[in-house]
Amino acid sequence: MNCSKVEDRQTLNRQLAQMLKGGVIMDVTTPEQARIAEAAGACAVMALERIPADIRAAGGVSRMSDPKMIRGIQEAVTIPVMAKCRIGHFAEAQILEAIEIDYIDESEVLSPADDVYHIDKRKFRVPFVCGAKDLGEALRRINEGATMIRTKGEPGTGDIIQAVRHMRLMQSEIRRLVSLSDDELYEAAKQLRVPFDLVRYVHDYHKLPVVNFAAGGVATPADAALMMQLGAEGVFVGSGIFKSGNPEKRAQAIVKAVTNYDNPAILAQLSEDLGEAMVGINESEIQLLMAERGK
Amino acid sequence: MKIAILALQGAFAEHEQMFRQLGTETTLIRNLDDFYSTFQKPPSRPLSISPEGESFSRQEASPRGGLEGVERAGLAIPGGESTAMMRIMKDEGLFEPLRQAILDGLPVLGTCAGLIMLDRNHLGVMDITARRNAYGRQLGSFNTEENFRGIGKFPMTFIRAPYIEEAGPDVEILATVEGKAVAARQGNMLVTAFHPELTDDTRIHELFLKMVGHLHVERSNR
Protein backbone atom coordinates (compact mmCIF):
# COMPACT_ATOMS: atom_id res chain seq x y z
CA MET A 1 0.00 0.00 0.00
CA ASN A 2 1.23 3.51 -0.60
CA CYS A 3 1.22 4.85 2.89
CA SER A 4 2.59 8.27 3.52
CA LYS A 5 3.73 7.21 6.97
CA VAL A 6 6.26 4.59 8.02
CA GLU A 7 4.50 1.28 8.33
CA ASP A 8 3.82 0.58 11.97
CA ARG A 9 3.47 -3.20 12.12
CA GLN A 10 3.55 -3.29 15.92
CA THR A 11 0.41 -1.20 16.14
CA LEU A 12 -1.39 -3.00 13.29
CA ASN A 13 -0.55 -6.32 14.91
CA ARG A 14 -1.79 -5.24 18.33
CA GLN A 15 -4.96 -4.08 16.62
CA LEU A 16 -5.61 -7.48 15.02
CA ALA A 17 -5.53 -8.93 18.55
CA GLN A 18 -8.10 -6.30 19.57
CA MET A 19 -10.42 -7.69 16.89
CA LEU A 20 -10.11 -11.18 18.40
CA LYS A 21 -11.31 -10.03 21.83
CA GLY A 22 -14.40 -11.65 23.26
CA GLY A 23 -13.67 -14.63 21.04
CA VAL A 24 -12.45 -18.20 21.13
CA ILE A 25 -9.34 -19.41 19.30
CA MET A 26 -9.47 -23.15 18.69
CA ASP A 27 -6.72 -25.71 18.08
CA VAL A 28 -7.36 -27.66 14.89
CA THR A 29 -5.37 -30.37 13.14
CA THR A 30 -7.30 -30.80 9.87
CA PRO A 31 -9.20 -28.58 7.40
CA GLU A 32 -12.36 -30.42 8.46
CA GLN A 33 -11.84 -29.45 12.12
CA ALA A 34 -11.05 -25.90 11.03
CA ARG A 35 -14.38 -25.69 9.21
CA ILE A 36 -16.22 -27.03 12.28
CA ALA A 37 -14.46 -24.44 14.45
CA GLU A 38 -15.29 -21.58 12.06
CA ALA A 39 -18.94 -22.63 11.78
CA ALA A 40 -19.16 -22.85 15.57
CA GLY A 41 -18.09 -19.20 15.82
CA ALA A 42 -14.34 -19.39 16.51
CA CYS A 43 -12.67 -15.99 15.94
CA ALA A 44 -9.46 -17.73 14.79
CA VAL A 45 -7.93 -21.19 14.60
CA MET A 46 -4.53 -22.50 15.65
CA ALA A 47 -3.25 -24.94 13.03
CA LEU A 48 -1.10 -27.72 14.42
CA GLU A 49 -0.28 -31.33 13.61
CA ARG A 50 -1.03 -32.65 17.05
CA ILE A 51 -3.09 -31.04 19.77
CA PRO A 52 -1.31 -30.55 23.11
CA ALA A 53 -2.90 -33.60 24.77
CA ASP A 54 -1.39 -35.80 22.05
CA ILE A 55 1.93 -33.96 22.12
CA ARG A 56 2.02 -34.68 25.83
CA ALA A 57 1.12 -38.33 25.29
CA ALA A 58 3.59 -38.86 22.45
CA GLY A 59 6.56 -37.24 24.18
CA GLY A 60 9.76 -36.60 22.21
CA VAL A 61 10.67 -33.39 20.41
CA SER A 62 7.73 -31.39 19.17
CA ARG A 63 8.27 -28.95 16.29
CA MET A 64 6.53 -26.49 13.97
CA SER A 65 3.82 -28.13 11.83
CA ASP A 66 4.22 -28.99 8.15
CA PRO A 67 3.60 -25.78 6.14
CA LYS A 68 1.52 -27.77 3.67
CA MET A 69 -0.81 -28.86 6.45
CA ILE A 70 -1.08 -25.23 7.64
CA ARG A 71 -1.81 -24.08 4.07
CA GLY A 72 -4.62 -26.61 3.85
CA ILE A 73 -6.23 -25.01 6.88
CA GLN A 74 -5.66 -21.49 5.53
CA GLU A 75 -7.55 -22.52 2.41
CA ALA A 76 -10.40 -24.09 4.37
CA VAL A 77 -11.43 -21.02 6.40
CA THR A 78 -11.74 -17.23 6.13
CA ILE A 79 -10.98 -16.44 9.78
CA PRO A 80 -7.38 -15.76 10.92
CA VAL A 81 -5.08 -18.78 11.06
CA MET A 82 -2.36 -19.01 13.69
CA ALA A 83 0.48 -21.52 14.02
CA LYS A 84 3.10 -22.37 16.61
CA CYS A 85 6.86 -22.19 16.44
CA ARG A 86 9.34 -23.28 19.10
CA ILE A 87 10.60 -20.76 21.65
CA GLY A 88 13.66 -19.03 20.18
CA HIS A 89 13.34 -20.77 16.80
CA PHE A 90 13.37 -17.73 14.54
CA ALA A 91 13.87 -19.81 11.41
CA GLU A 92 10.58 -21.59 12.01
CA ALA A 93 9.02 -18.16 12.51
CA GLN A 94 10.49 -16.98 9.19
CA ILE A 95 8.90 -19.97 7.46
CA LEU A 96 5.52 -19.22 9.03
CA GLU A 97 5.84 -15.59 7.92
CA ALA A 98 6.62 -16.77 4.39
CA ILE A 99 3.31 -18.64 4.21
CA GLU A 100 1.53 -15.50 5.47
CA ILE A 101 0.31 -16.84 8.76
CA ASP A 102 -1.92 -14.34 10.59
CA TYR A 103 -0.37 -14.87 14.03
CA ILE A 104 2.63 -16.86 15.28
CA ASP A 105 2.45 -18.46 18.72
CA GLU A 106 5.99 -18.71 20.11
CA SER A 107 4.89 -21.57 22.24
CA GLU A 108 6.07 -23.55 25.24
CA VAL A 109 3.83 -26.39 24.05
CA LEU A 110 6.52 -27.27 21.49
CA SER A 111 10.03 -28.22 22.59
CA PRO A 112 12.06 -25.04 23.19
CA ALA A 113 14.84 -24.43 20.65
CA ASP A 114 16.71 -21.91 22.81
CA ASP A 115 16.89 -21.93 26.58
CA VAL A 116 18.15 -18.34 26.85
CA TYR A 117 16.77 -16.17 24.09
CA HIS A 118 13.27 -15.72 22.77
CA ILE A 119 12.74 -14.61 19.17
CA ASP A 120 13.36 -10.92 18.41
CA LYS A 121 9.78 -10.47 17.31
CA ARG A 122 10.21 -6.86 16.24
CA LYS A 123 12.15 -8.07 13.21
CA PHE A 124 9.02 -9.67 11.80
CA ARG A 125 6.06 -8.18 9.99
CA VAL A 126 3.66 -10.87 11.19
CA PRO A 127 2.36 -10.71 14.76
CA PHE A 128 3.34 -12.92 17.69
CA VAL A 129 1.42 -14.15 20.70
CA CYS A 130 3.43 -15.42 23.67
CA GLY A 131 2.59 -17.14 26.93
CA ALA A 132 3.22 -15.60 30.34
CA LYS A 133 2.82 -16.79 33.92
CA ASP A 134 3.17 -13.38 35.53
CA LEU A 135 3.42 -9.69 34.76
CA GLY A 136 7.21 -9.59 34.38
CA GLU A 137 7.16 -12.40 31.83
CA ALA A 138 4.31 -10.73 29.92
CA LEU A 139 6.12 -7.38 29.75
CA ARG A 140 9.40 -9.03 28.70
CA ARG A 141 7.63 -10.73 25.81
CA ILE A 142 5.93 -7.44 24.86
CA ASN A 143 9.31 -5.73 24.94
CA GLU A 144 10.61 -8.36 22.50
CA GLY A 145 7.71 -7.49 20.20
CA ALA A 146 4.83 -9.79 21.19
CA THR A 147 1.56 -8.05 20.32
CA MET A 148 -0.71 -10.41 22.24
CA ILE A 149 -0.27 -12.30 25.52
CA ARG A 150 -1.90 -15.45 26.84
CA THR A 151 -1.57 -17.36 30.08
CA LYS A 152 0.56 -20.45 29.82
CA GLY A 153 -1.87 -22.70 31.60
CA GLU A 154 -0.91 -26.33 31.33
CA PRO A 155 -1.77 -27.40 27.80
CA GLY A 156 -3.26 -30.75 27.07
CA THR A 157 -4.39 -31.47 30.62
CA GLY A 158 -7.94 -30.15 30.71
CA ASP A 159 -6.99 -28.81 34.15
CA ILE A 160 -7.71 -25.10 34.53
CA ILE A 161 -5.68 -24.57 37.70
CA GLN A 162 -2.56 -23.14 36.09
CA ALA A 163 -4.38 -20.74 33.80
CA VAL A 164 -6.25 -19.49 36.88
CA ARG A 165 -3.01 -19.14 38.82
CA HIS A 166 -1.30 -17.20 36.01
CA MET A 167 -4.26 -14.91 35.37
CA ARG A 168 -4.77 -14.17 39.06
CA LEU A 169 -1.08 -13.47 39.56
CA MET A 170 -0.93 -11.18 36.54
CA GLN A 171 -4.03 -9.25 37.59
CA SER A 172 -2.84 -8.86 41.17
CA GLU A 173 0.59 -7.65 40.00
CA ILE A 174 -1.16 -5.15 37.72
CA ARG A 175 -3.23 -3.88 40.66
CA ARG A 176 -0.06 -3.55 42.71
CA LEU A 177 1.69 -1.51 39.99
CA VAL A 178 -1.33 0.75 39.71
CA SER A 179 -1.14 1.46 43.44
CA LEU A 180 2.52 2.51 43.40
CA SER A 181 3.59 6.13 43.50
CA ASP A 182 5.47 7.51 40.51
CA ASP A 183 8.89 7.34 42.17
CA GLU A 184 8.34 3.69 43.12
CA LEU A 185 7.88 2.67 39.49
CA TYR A 186 11.61 2.76 38.76
CA GLU A 187 12.30 0.09 41.35
CA ALA A 188 9.31 -1.92 40.09
CA ALA A 189 10.79 -1.86 36.58
CA LYS A 190 14.07 -3.16 37.98
CA GLN A 191 12.37 -5.96 39.88
CA LEU A 192 10.27 -7.00 36.90
CA ARG A 193 13.34 -6.78 34.63
CA VAL A 194 11.45 -4.70 32.07
CA PRO A 195 11.79 -1.19 30.61
CA PHE A 196 10.34 1.68 32.61
CA ASP A 197 7.96 2.75 29.81
CA LEU A 198 6.08 -0.54 29.97
CA VAL A 199 5.72 -0.29 33.76
CA ARG A 200 4.52 3.29 33.34
CA TYR A 201 1.89 2.14 30.82
CA VAL A 202 0.49 -0.52 33.14
CA HIS A 203 0.46 1.97 36.01
CA ASP A 204 -1.40 4.59 33.95
CA TYR A 205 -3.87 2.36 32.08
CA HIS A 206 -4.42 -0.44 34.63
CA LYS A 207 -3.82 -3.09 31.97
CA LEU A 208 -1.24 -4.61 29.65
CA PRO A 209 -0.50 -2.61 26.48
CA VAL A 210 -1.68 -5.63 24.46
CA VAL A 211 -4.65 -7.98 24.53
CA ASN A 212 -4.47 -10.75 27.14
CA PHE A 213 -6.13 -14.15 26.55
CA ALA A 214 -6.49 -17.25 28.70
CA ALA A 215 -4.96 -20.51 27.49
CA GLY A 216 -4.33 -23.98 28.82
CA GLY A 217 -6.83 -26.34 30.36
CA VAL A 218 -10.08 -24.71 29.19
CA ALA A 219 -12.51 -27.63 28.70
CA THR A 220 -16.01 -26.37 29.55
CA PRO A 221 -18.18 -23.24 29.11
CA ALA A 222 -17.77 -22.70 32.86
CA ASP A 223 -13.96 -22.76 32.49
CA ALA A 224 -14.19 -20.11 29.78
CA ALA A 225 -16.53 -17.96 31.91
CA LEU A 226 -14.21 -18.31 34.90
CA MET A 227 -11.23 -17.04 32.91
CA MET A 228 -13.22 -14.14 31.45
CA GLN A 229 -14.40 -13.11 34.91
CA LEU A 230 -10.81 -13.24 36.12
CA GLY A 231 -9.88 -10.69 33.46
CA ALA A 232 -9.09 -12.63 30.29
CA GLU A 233 -10.16 -10.83 27.10
CA GLY A 234 -10.82 -14.08 25.23
CA VAL A 235 -9.77 -17.74 25.37
CA PHE A 236 -7.71 -20.30 23.52
CA VAL A 237 -9.14 -23.80 23.61
CA GLY A 238 -6.78 -26.57 22.64
CA SER A 239 -7.47 -30.17 23.39
CA GLY A 240 -10.74 -29.30 25.16
CA ILE A 241 -12.85 -29.32 22.00
CA PHE A 242 -11.64 -32.03 19.67
CA LYS A 243 -10.82 -34.39 22.56
CA SER A 244 -14.40 -34.22 23.78
CA GLY A 245 -17.45 -36.34 22.93
CA ASN A 246 -19.28 -33.75 20.83
CA PRO A 247 -16.77 -31.19 19.49
CA GLU A 248 -19.28 -29.20 17.45
CA LYS A 249 -21.68 -28.61 20.31
CA ARG A 250 -18.95 -27.96 22.84
CA ALA A 251 -17.26 -25.47 20.51
CA GLN A 252 -20.50 -23.51 20.07
CA ALA A 253 -21.18 -23.57 23.80
CA ILE A 254 -17.73 -22.23 24.68
CA VAL A 255 -18.08 -19.45 22.08
CA LYS A 256 -21.36 -18.31 23.61
CA ALA A 257 -20.01 -18.71 27.14
CA VAL A 258 -17.29 -16.18 26.33
CA THR A 259 -19.89 -13.66 25.08
CA ASN A 260 -22.18 -14.17 28.09
CA TYR A 261 -19.48 -14.93 30.66
CA ASP A 262 -21.23 -13.02 33.43
CA ASN A 263 -24.73 -14.42 32.87
CA PRO A 264 -25.15 -17.64 34.92
CA ALA A 265 -28.63 -18.36 33.52
CA ILE A 266 -27.29 -18.49 29.96
CA LEU A 267 -24.19 -20.42 31.10
CA ALA A 268 -26.43 -23.03 32.72
CA GLN A 269 -28.27 -23.59 29.44
CA LEU A 270 -24.99 -23.77 27.53
CA SER A 271 -23.57 -26.37 29.88
CA GLU A 272 -26.41 -28.83 29.31
CA ASP A 273 -25.96 -32.07 27.35
CA LEU A 274 -22.48 -31.40 26.08
CA GLY A 275 -21.51 -35.05 26.22
CA GLU A 276 -18.22 -36.24 27.57
CA ALA A 277 -15.62 -33.58 28.38
CA MET A 278 -12.00 -34.45 27.73
CA VAL A 279 -10.82 -36.82 30.42
CA GLY A 280 -7.98 -34.61 31.57
CA ILE A 281 -5.00 -35.08 33.83
CA ASN A 282 -4.65 -33.35 37.18
CA GLU A 283 -1.78 -30.95 37.52
CA SER A 284 -0.25 -33.07 40.28
CA GLU A 285 -0.22 -36.15 38.06
CA ILE A 286 1.88 -34.75 35.25
CA GLN A 287 5.60 -35.15 34.79
CA LEU A 288 6.30 -32.29 32.40
CA LEU A 289 5.31 -28.73 33.28
CA MET A 290 5.33 -26.95 29.93
CA ALA A 291 4.62 -23.62 31.63
CA GLU A 292 8.15 -23.74 33.06
CA ARG A 293 9.59 -23.48 29.56
CA GLY A 294 10.85 -19.99 28.65
CA LYS A 295 10.84 -17.21 31.23
CA MET B 1 -28.96 10.08 23.43
CA LYS B 2 -27.97 6.47 23.90
CA ILE B 3 -25.81 4.23 21.73
CA ALA B 4 -26.10 0.47 21.99
CA ILE B 5 -23.07 -1.52 20.95
CA LEU B 6 -23.37 -5.06 19.70
CA ALA B 7 -21.03 -6.95 22.04
CA LEU B 8 -21.11 -10.52 20.74
CA GLN B 9 -17.41 -10.56 19.88
CA GLY B 10 -14.71 -8.16 18.76
CA ALA B 11 -13.62 -4.61 19.52
CA PHE B 12 -16.83 -3.34 21.12
CA ALA B 13 -15.02 -1.76 24.10
CA GLU B 14 -13.21 0.60 21.72
CA HIS B 15 -16.52 1.96 20.37
CA GLU B 16 -17.84 2.22 23.90
CA GLN B 17 -14.86 4.32 24.90
CA MET B 18 -15.17 6.53 21.81
CA PHE B 19 -18.84 7.31 22.45
CA ARG B 20 -18.25 7.91 26.16
CA GLN B 21 -15.44 10.27 25.29
CA LEU B 22 -18.05 12.22 23.33
CA GLY B 23 -20.30 12.30 26.38
CA THR B 24 -22.78 9.76 25.05
CA GLU B 25 -24.42 7.09 27.16
CA THR B 26 -23.70 3.55 25.97
CA THR B 27 -25.04 0.09 26.60
CA LEU B 28 -23.83 -3.34 25.48
CA ILE B 29 -25.98 -5.89 23.68
CA ARG B 30 -24.85 -9.46 24.28
CA ASN B 31 -28.16 -11.31 24.00
CA LEU B 32 -31.85 -10.97 23.24
CA ASP B 33 -32.71 -9.75 26.75
CA ASP B 34 -30.22 -6.91 26.41
CA PHE B 35 -31.75 -6.04 23.04
CA TYR B 36 -35.31 -5.89 24.34
CA SER B 37 -34.39 -3.98 27.46
CA THR B 38 -32.70 -1.39 25.23
CA PHE B 39 -35.00 -1.13 22.25
CA GLN B 40 -38.36 -2.54 23.15
CA LYS B 41 -40.27 -4.80 25.47
CA PRO B 42 -40.74 -8.42 24.39
CA PRO B 43 -43.79 -8.36 22.12
CA SER B 44 -46.96 -9.95 23.46
CA ARG B 45 -47.57 -11.42 20.00
CA PRO B 46 -45.17 -12.56 17.32
CA LEU B 47 -43.36 -9.82 15.46
CA SER B 48 -45.38 -9.14 12.38
CA ILE B 49 -43.64 -7.89 9.33
CA SER B 50 -46.30 -6.54 7.03
CA PRO B 51 -45.63 -6.28 3.31
CA GLU B 52 -45.73 -2.48 3.46
CA GLY B 53 -42.66 -2.62 5.63
CA GLU B 54 -44.53 -1.15 8.57
CA SER B 55 -42.85 -2.07 11.75
CA PHE B 56 -43.79 -3.57 15.05
CA SER B 57 -42.04 -0.81 16.87
CA ARG B 58 -43.97 2.00 15.28
CA GLN B 59 -47.33 0.30 15.30
CA GLU B 60 -47.43 -2.02 18.21
CA ALA B 61 -45.04 -1.09 20.92
CA SER B 62 -46.04 1.27 23.67
CA PRO B 63 -44.63 4.79 23.42
CA ARG B 64 -42.10 4.00 26.11
CA GLY B 65 -41.31 0.49 24.97
CA GLY B 66 -40.50 0.80 21.27
CA LEU B 67 -37.77 2.54 19.38
CA GLU B 68 -39.43 5.88 19.99
CA GLY B 69 -39.31 5.21 23.71
CA VAL B 70 -35.56 5.38 23.73
CA GLU B 71 -34.41 8.96 23.43
CA ARG B 72 -32.53 9.05 20.16
CA ALA B 73 -30.98 5.59 20.16
CA GLY B 74 -28.39 4.25 17.77
CA LEU B 75 -26.55 0.97 17.31
CA ALA B 76 -22.88 0.32 16.59
CA ILE B 77 -21.65 -2.99 15.16
CA PRO B 78 -17.92 -3.27 15.86
CA GLY B 79 -14.97 -4.89 14.17
CA GLY B 80 -14.23 -8.53 14.92
CA GLU B 81 -14.93 -11.73 13.04
CA SER B 82 -18.18 -11.50 11.10
CA THR B 83 -18.58 -15.30 10.95
CA ALA B 84 -18.35 -15.52 14.75
CA MET B 85 -20.77 -12.63 15.29
CA MET B 86 -23.27 -13.92 12.72
CA ARG B 87 -23.26 -17.36 14.31
CA ILE B 88 -23.92 -15.99 17.81
CA MET B 89 -26.50 -13.53 16.49
CA LYS B 90 -28.50 -16.30 14.81
CA ASP B 91 -28.29 -18.69 17.75
CA GLU B 92 -29.31 -15.99 20.21
CA GLY B 93 -32.36 -15.12 18.13
CA LEU B 94 -31.01 -11.62 17.56
CA PHE B 95 -30.89 -11.79 13.77
CA GLU B 96 -34.53 -11.03 12.95
CA PRO B 97 -35.25 -8.40 15.65
CA LEU B 98 -32.04 -6.55 14.81
CA ARG B 99 -32.71 -6.70 11.07
CA GLN B 100 -36.24 -5.44 11.60
CA ALA B 101 -35.14 -2.60 13.88
CA ILE B 102 -32.65 -1.40 11.26
CA LEU B 103 -35.25 -1.66 8.48
CA ASP B 104 -37.49 0.41 10.78
CA GLY B 105 -34.94 3.17 10.81
CA LEU B 106 -32.71 2.44 13.81
CA PRO B 107 -29.50 4.36 13.00
CA VAL B 108 -26.55 1.98 12.74
CA LEU B 109 -22.80 2.39 12.44
CA GLY B 110 -20.91 -0.64 11.13
CA THR B 111 -17.13 -0.81 11.07
CA CYS B 112 -15.19 -3.57 9.28
CA ALA B 113 -17.06 -6.75 10.31
CA GLY B 114 -20.02 -4.44 10.98
CA LEU B 115 -19.96 -3.34 7.33
CA ILE B 116 -19.93 -6.98 6.21
CA MET B 117 -22.82 -7.88 8.49
CA LEU B 118 -25.08 -5.15 7.10
CA ASP B 119 -24.53 -6.15 3.46
CA ARG B 120 -26.83 -8.07 1.10
CA ASN B 121 -25.42 -11.46 2.04
CA HIS B 122 -25.68 -11.15 5.80
CA LEU B 123 -28.34 -9.05 7.55
CA GLY B 124 -29.42 -7.91 4.10
CA VAL B 125 -30.37 -4.38 5.16
CA MET B 126 -27.90 -2.33 3.13
CA ASP B 127 -27.70 -2.36 -0.65
CA ILE B 128 -24.00 -3.21 -0.82
CA THR B 129 -21.90 -6.31 -1.36
CA ALA B 130 -18.84 -6.52 0.82
CA ARG B 131 -15.74 -8.34 -0.25
CA ARG B 132 -14.29 -10.05 2.82
CA ASN B 133 -10.52 -10.11 3.49
CA ALA B 134 -10.20 -7.95 0.39
CA TYR B 135 -6.62 -7.00 1.21
CA GLY B 136 -5.53 -10.54 2.10
CA ARG B 137 -4.20 -11.82 5.39
CA GLN B 138 -2.68 -9.85 8.27
CA LEU B 139 0.40 -9.00 6.19
CA GLY B 140 -1.98 -6.99 3.99
CA SER B 141 -3.26 -4.86 6.90
CA PHE B 142 -2.27 -1.20 6.57
CA ASN B 143 -2.75 2.42 7.60
CA THR B 144 -3.45 5.27 5.26
CA GLU B 145 -5.03 8.71 5.14
CA GLU B 146 -7.72 9.59 2.63
CA ASN B 147 -10.57 12.02 2.16
CA PHE B 148 -13.85 11.24 3.86
CA ARG B 149 -16.73 13.18 2.30
CA GLY B 150 -17.85 15.99 4.57
CA ILE B 151 -14.97 15.46 6.98
CA GLY B 152 -11.74 15.76 5.00
CA LYS B 153 -8.51 13.83 5.49
CA PHE B 154 -9.09 10.95 7.89
CA PRO B 155 -6.61 8.41 9.31
CA MET B 156 -7.74 4.94 8.27
CA THR B 157 -6.67 1.64 9.80
CA PHE B 158 -7.47 -1.48 7.78
CA ILE B 159 -7.15 -4.81 9.64
CA ARG B 160 -7.80 -7.82 7.39
CA ALA B 161 -10.37 -5.47 6.01
CA PRO B 162 -13.17 -5.74 3.48
CA TYR B 163 -14.13 -3.16 0.88
CA ILE B 164 -17.43 -2.46 -0.83
CA GLU B 165 -17.43 -4.39 -4.08
CA GLU B 166 -20.77 -3.21 -5.34
CA ALA B 167 -23.31 -0.65 -4.19
CA GLY B 168 -26.89 0.16 -5.20
CA PRO B 169 -28.13 3.59 -6.40
CA ASP B 170 -29.27 4.71 -2.93
CA VAL B 171 -25.85 4.23 -1.44
CA GLU B 172 -23.62 7.27 -1.12
CA ILE B 173 -19.92 6.41 -1.23
CA LEU B 174 -18.07 8.55 1.34
CA ALA B 175 -14.48 7.43 0.91
CA THR B 176 -12.33 5.44 -1.48
CA VAL B 177 -8.82 4.01 -1.20
CA GLU B 178 -7.07 3.11 -4.46
CA GLY B 179 -10.37 3.25 -6.27
CA LYS B 180 -12.20 0.93 -3.87
CA ALA B 181 -15.16 2.14 -1.81
CA VAL B 182 -14.33 1.91 1.89
CA ALA B 183 -17.06 4.03 3.51
CA ALA B 184 -20.68 4.64 2.62
CA ARG B 185 -24.06 5.79 3.83
CA GLN B 186 -27.55 4.66 2.95
CA GLY B 187 -30.30 6.36 4.94
CA ASN B 188 -29.88 5.32 8.55
CA MET B 189 -26.80 3.19 7.88
CA LEU B 190 -23.19 4.39 8.01
CA VAL B 191 -20.38 1.93 7.31
CA THR B 192 -16.59 1.98 7.14
CA ALA B 193 -14.24 -0.80 6.08
CA PHE B 194 -11.59 0.73 8.36
CA HIS B 195 -11.63 1.26 12.12
CA PRO B 196 -12.25 4.84 13.27
CA GLU B 197 -12.55 3.42 16.82
CA LEU B 198 -8.85 2.50 16.78
CA THR B 199 -7.70 6.08 16.21
CA ASP B 200 -7.92 9.22 18.36
CA ASP B 201 -10.04 10.86 15.69
CA THR B 202 -13.65 11.05 16.86
CA ARG B 203 -15.10 12.79 13.78
CA ILE B 204 -16.81 9.73 12.27
CA HIS B 205 -18.41 8.90 15.61
CA GLU B 206 -19.54 12.53 15.86
CA LEU B 207 -20.97 12.31 12.35
CA PHE B 208 -22.90 9.22 13.41
CA LEU B 209 -24.26 10.94 16.53
CA LYS B 210 -25.45 13.83 14.34
CA MET B 211 -27.12 11.30 12.06
CA VAL B 212 -28.89 9.75 15.03
CA GLY B 213 -30.13 13.18 16.11
CA HIS B 214 -31.39 14.13 12.61
CA LEU B 215 -33.06 10.81 11.98
CA HIS B 216 -34.84 11.07 15.29
CA VAL B 217 -36.21 14.50 14.38
CA GLU B 218 -37.35 13.15 10.99
CA ARG B 219 -39.08 10.25 12.68
CA SER B 220 -40.92 12.38 15.21
CA ASN B 221 -42.08 14.79 12.47
CA ARG B 222 -43.62 12.02 10.43
Side-chain angles (χ1 to χ4, degrees):
Chain A
M1 289 295 134
N2 3 328
C3 309
S4 43
K5 284 175 284 183
V6 181
E7 193 186 47
D8 182 359
R9 293 311 300 182
Q10 275 282 313
T11 304
L12 285 169
N13 291 340
R14 286 180 184 192
Q15 288 169 333
L16 174 57
Q18 285 175 266
M19 296 305 140
L20 301 175
K21 284 190 299 180
V24 181
I25 300 167
M26 301 181 193
D27 279 0
V28 297
T29 56
T30 62
E32 182 51 32
Q33 286 184 356
R35 276 188 284 265
I36 291 174
E38 182 177 51
C43 67
V45 289
M46 177 77 69
L48 68 179
E49 268 162 352
R50 281 184 299 194
I51 55 177
D54 293 335
I55 292 175
R56 189 175 282 287
V61 175
S62 175
R63 310 177 178 88
M64 176 188 78
S65 298
D66 183 340
K68 187 176 169 191
M69 170 264 163
I70 298 170
R71 277 220 184 97
I73 287 171
Q74 285 176 314
E75 279 156 24
V77 294
T78 59
I79 55 179
V81 177
M82 304 183 165
K84 291 182 194 289
C85 74
R86 286 179 266 178
I87 291 175
H89 206 315
F90 51 83
E92 283 185 351
Q94 288 161 357
I95 291 169
L96 292 174
E97 182 170 68
I99 60 169
E100 296 197 29
I101 203 77
D102 291 301
Y103 242 100
I104 296 177
D105 184 2
E106 186 183 15
S107 178
E108 70 282 0
V109 174
L110 306 182
S111 307
D114 193 320
D115 55 3
V116 180
Y117 301 104
H118 278 73
I119 296 172
D120 178 0
K121 295 168 270 290
R122 292 184 188 272
K123 282 194 173 154
F124 289 79
R125 295 184 70 239
V126 286
F128 282 82
V129 53
C130 285
K133 301 189 294 295
D134 54 42
L135 183 61
E137 209 173 317
L139 294 178
R140 287 194 290 280
R141 297 295 88 77
I142 293 166
N143 193 42
E144 292 157 3
T147 51
M148 181 178 184
I149 291 293
R150 56 171 175 77
T151 60
K152 283 173 142 175
E154 197 51 46
T157 61
D159 190 352
I160 196 74
I161 186 168
Q162 296 224 22
V164 168
R165 195 182 288 149
H166 300 165
M167 188 55 77
R168 275 199 183 273
L169 181 55
M170 219 182 288
Q171 298 296 345
S172 105
E173 287 177 309
I174 289 173
R175 285 192 296 274
R176 183 180 157 270
L177 265 197
V178 169
S179 74
L180 295 183
S181 65
D182 286 3
D183 56 351
E184 290 167 338
L185 293 177
Y186 297 97
E187 177 59 21
K190 241 188 290 176
Q191 283 174 8
L192 291 167
R193 295 187 284 134
V194 295
F196 177 75
D197 288 350
L198 287 173
V199 169
R200 170 102 248 171
Y201 183 96
V202 175
H203 174 76
D204 290 351
Y205 292 92
H206 306 193
K207 63 184 188 73
L208 294 180
V210 305
V211 167
N212 187 12
F213 267 48
V218 176
T220 67
D223 289 344
L226 175 69
M227 295 313 299
M228 292 297 286
Q229 289 190 37
L230 287 173
E233 295 179 281
V235 299
F236 284 86
V237 187
S239 322
I241 289 174
F242 290 101
K243 277 281 166 192
S244 74
N246 188 343
E248 209 160 342
K249 194 166 179 195
R250 187 168 291 268
Q252 288 171 24
I254 293 177
V255 165
K256 286 175 214 150
V258 168
T259 299
N260 291 290
Y261 67 92
D262 56 358
N263 188 325
I266 293 181
L267 292 171
Q269 278 172 18
L270 293 174
S271 304
E272 280 179 15
D273 283 331
L274 290 180
E276 189 111 359
M278 72 177 286
V279 176
I281 323 168
N282 289 306
E283 182 202 35
S284 52
E285 296 166 2
I286 53 180
Q287 304 290 319
L288 173 65
L289 281 178
M290 293 183 181
E292 291 305 315
R293 292 168 164 175
K295 307 211 169 151
Chain B
M1 177 160 336
K2 189 179 197 175
I3 301 296
I5 302 156
L6 194 65
L8 304 178
Q9 190 269 323
F12 47 85
E14 286 75 355
H15 276 291
E16 196 179 20
Q17 204 191 334
M18 209 74 169
F19 284 116
R20 282 188 184 166
Q21 202 182 315
L22 293 169
T24 308
E25 194 191 336
T26 58
T27 182
L28 297 181
I29 296 190
R30 297 180 189 277
N31 50 53
L32 201 57
D33 286 347
D34 292 346
F35 178 83
Y36 281 135
S37 62
T38 307
F39 291 119
Q40 77 151 64
K41 303 242 156 42
S44 47
R45 52 194 172 109
L47 304 181
S48 65
I49 304 154
S50 66
E52 297 80 38
E54 283 295 334
S55 65
F56 57 84
S57 58
R58 229 174 276 140
Q59 290 188 322
E60 296 166 20
S62 68
R64 299 188 62 80
L67 278 177
E68 324 288 6
V70 181
E71 266 300 282
R72 288 181 286 177
L75 174 76
I77 306 183
E81 280 306 317
S82 58
T83 51
M85 286 193 251
M86 288 305 293
R87 173 78 214 204
I88 302 169
M89 188 191 277
K90 284 178 182 163
D91 289 356
E92 295 289 319
L94 270 166
F95 184 93
E96 206 39 60
L98 209 65
R99 180 181 133 81
Q100 196 53 47
I102 296 168
L103 288 176
D104 276 353
L106 173 68
V108 56
L109 169 67
T111 62
C112 195
L115 176 152
I116 295 169
M117 287 162 71
L118 292 169
D119 91 344
R120 292 168 182 145
N121 299 318
H122 296 82
L123 278 164
V125 288
M126 193 165 179
D127 197 13
I128 56 170
T129 302
R131 177 169 174 163
R132 289 191 60 204
N133 299 339
Y135 301 93
R137 303 182 190 282
Q138 174 61 3
L139 283 174
S141 295
F142 65 102
N143 288 302
T144 187
E145 205 174 71
E146 284 293 340
N147 269 315
F148 191 101
R149 188 177 292 179
I151 287 183
K153 285 270 181 206
F154 197 90
M156 299 176 182
T157 299
F158 292 83
I159 307 284
R160 286 176 46 99
Y163 57 63
I164 298 169
E165 203 159 36
E166 213 221 307
D170 297 337
V171 178
E172 182 191 8
I173 302 299
L174 299 173
T176 58
V177 169
E178 294 182 335
K180 307 293 185 195
V182 295
R185 179 176 172 181
Q186 180 186 358
N188 56 324
M189 294 168 275
L190 178 66
V191 293
T192 65
F194 53 92
H195 294 280
E197 76 279 14
L198 293 180
T199 63
D200 302 328
D201 200 320
T202 55
R203 287 177 297 171
I204 286 178
H205 287 77
E206 287 170 56
L207 175 75
F208 178 64
L209 291 177
K210 261 187 228 156
M211 228 174 93
V212 176
H214 288 161
L215 288 165
H216 174 74
V217 172
E218 277 174 35
R219 266 209 305 271
S220 28
N221 288 345
R222 239 186 323 228

